[in-house]
Amino acid sequence: MTTAVTPEVLTDPELHAHGDPHEVWRWMRRHAPVHRHPATALPAFWSMTRYDDVRAVYRDPETFSSRHGVLLRPVDRGVDPGGGLTLALSDPPRHKQLRAVVADWFSTRAVRDLEETTLQAVRDVLDRLPADGTCEFAHDVAGRLSMYLIGGIIGVPRHDHERLFRWTNEAFAAGVSLAAHQDLMRYFIDLMGRRTAEPTDDLVSALLGGTIDGELLTEEEILLNCENIIGATENGGLAVAGGMLALVQHPDEWRRLAEDPEALPGAVEEILRWTSSATHSMRTATRDCEVAGQTIAAGDRVVLWVPSANRDEDVFPEPYRFDVGRSPNRHLALGSGEHFCLGATLARSQMRLLLKELLERTARIELCGPVHRISSIAVSGPESLPLRLVPR
């Protein structure tokens, strides 16, 4: 790493859009695996960059709490309003209780039952593309597919999926909370009203009927959890787009999959590791503790840099090589411990079925314009990915 680069640049979104954060993380894993960042517009925090440290924090919710926020927020924005109310921003035992309300919708069995629905959504999205296969893949395929699937699970009728997709894109592009998008929130308040009067077999109905310690969830809790689940589709879409970019940049790996479709599950895991679309996750220490020789005080914020953990040379041989046959591949792209991604099985199924359909339809994939990465320290991946899916 050049002397001009310091760990503090990690909080600059432009580094993630136009630079190489992996150069910084690689240096930090070797020289400063647990590093204290002073307060700026963001609060002071500790960076963790090694796999073992990141995994240990994920798996110790008693010491490292999610309740006070899981993403760095500018100090002037105050605390996250979802603290203690949502799946992402709660600790045991409440996290487990909230998870139990919706877990059946994301179980292995539920995802298996949804496989035909998922495959139809994949085909619907691909069938929308022009005959010559040109598309803005990040938007037209990856983002749209993720939103269609989660919209269906939540209870949004199929004819409203495109509206949901447009509203969430507007919020993501503006860098604001989905709760700040008035049309989206009004839609979900209306949906809650309809499901209260006539429950159906969907996630909103499950949340409306869900109880914790004998008490129904409040409307605020239901809205914030819907926002939480919908917001996660941004990560899913970026992982899919980033995986496709990796396959374009490594055509030999695409050919491996074409020759051996049985390798698809392993390819999905490598795409998840390689893209690590959730750039960081934050926790707050509940007590004084020590990590890698550094004393972390109660109340200190700890930031886990997931892409760094997933390139840790002590865990992944040749970590900067994209290898769809990598095994073992115990990446942390979907978290670990209590907060392991609720939608992990669905995300894997979606990616596998999309790749399978693309391999059957497509002779080759070509870039047909410049790629632009998203400018963010929270998520990573291609914001713009112009491709030509050359048909068979």
Side-chain angles (χ1 to χ4, degrees), residues 42-54:
L42 297 170
F45 66 94
W46 292 92
S47 271
M48 293 196 182
T49 50
R50 288 182 181 169
Y51 180 98
D52 287 345
D53 296 332
V54 169

Side-chain angles (χ1 to χ4, degrees), residues 92 104 110 208 235 258 297 328:
D104 285 350
L208 284 163
N235 282 353

Side-chain angles (χ1 to χ4, degrees), residues 273-284:
R273 180 193 77 88
W274 186 259
T275 58
S276 295
S277 61
T279 308
H280 83 262
S281 188
M282 189 182 75
R283 300 292 187 268
T284 301

Side-chain angles (χ1 to χ4, degrees), residues 99-115 118 150 153 203 340-349:
R99 200 174 179 106
V101 172
V102 298
D104 285 350
W105 283 95
F106 298 96
S107 67
T108 300
R109 179 177 179 179
V111 172
R112 190 183 302 121
D113 290 344
L114 281 170
E115 188 151 309
T118 303
I150 206 64
I153 289 172
L203 192 61
F340 184 74
C341 177
L342 179 68
T345 304
L346 179 65
R348 287 171 165 136
S349 175

Side-chain angles (χ1 to χ4, degrees), residues 147 150 168 172 178 226-236 379:
M147 189 54 63
I150 206 64
T168 54
F172 293 152
L178 295 179
C226 285
E227 178 206 13
N228 189 194
I229 291 168
I230 292 171
T233 63
E234 184 179 26
N235 282 353
V379 293

Side-chain angles (χ1 to χ4, degrees), residues 242-263:
M244 189 54 56
L245 176 60
L247 288 165
V248 171
Q249 293 172 332
H250 301 84
D252 289 347
E253 300 302 288
W254 176 259
R255 284 190 287 271
R256 283 177 70 181
L257 293 179
E259 293 166 5
D260 180 17
E262 296 300 314

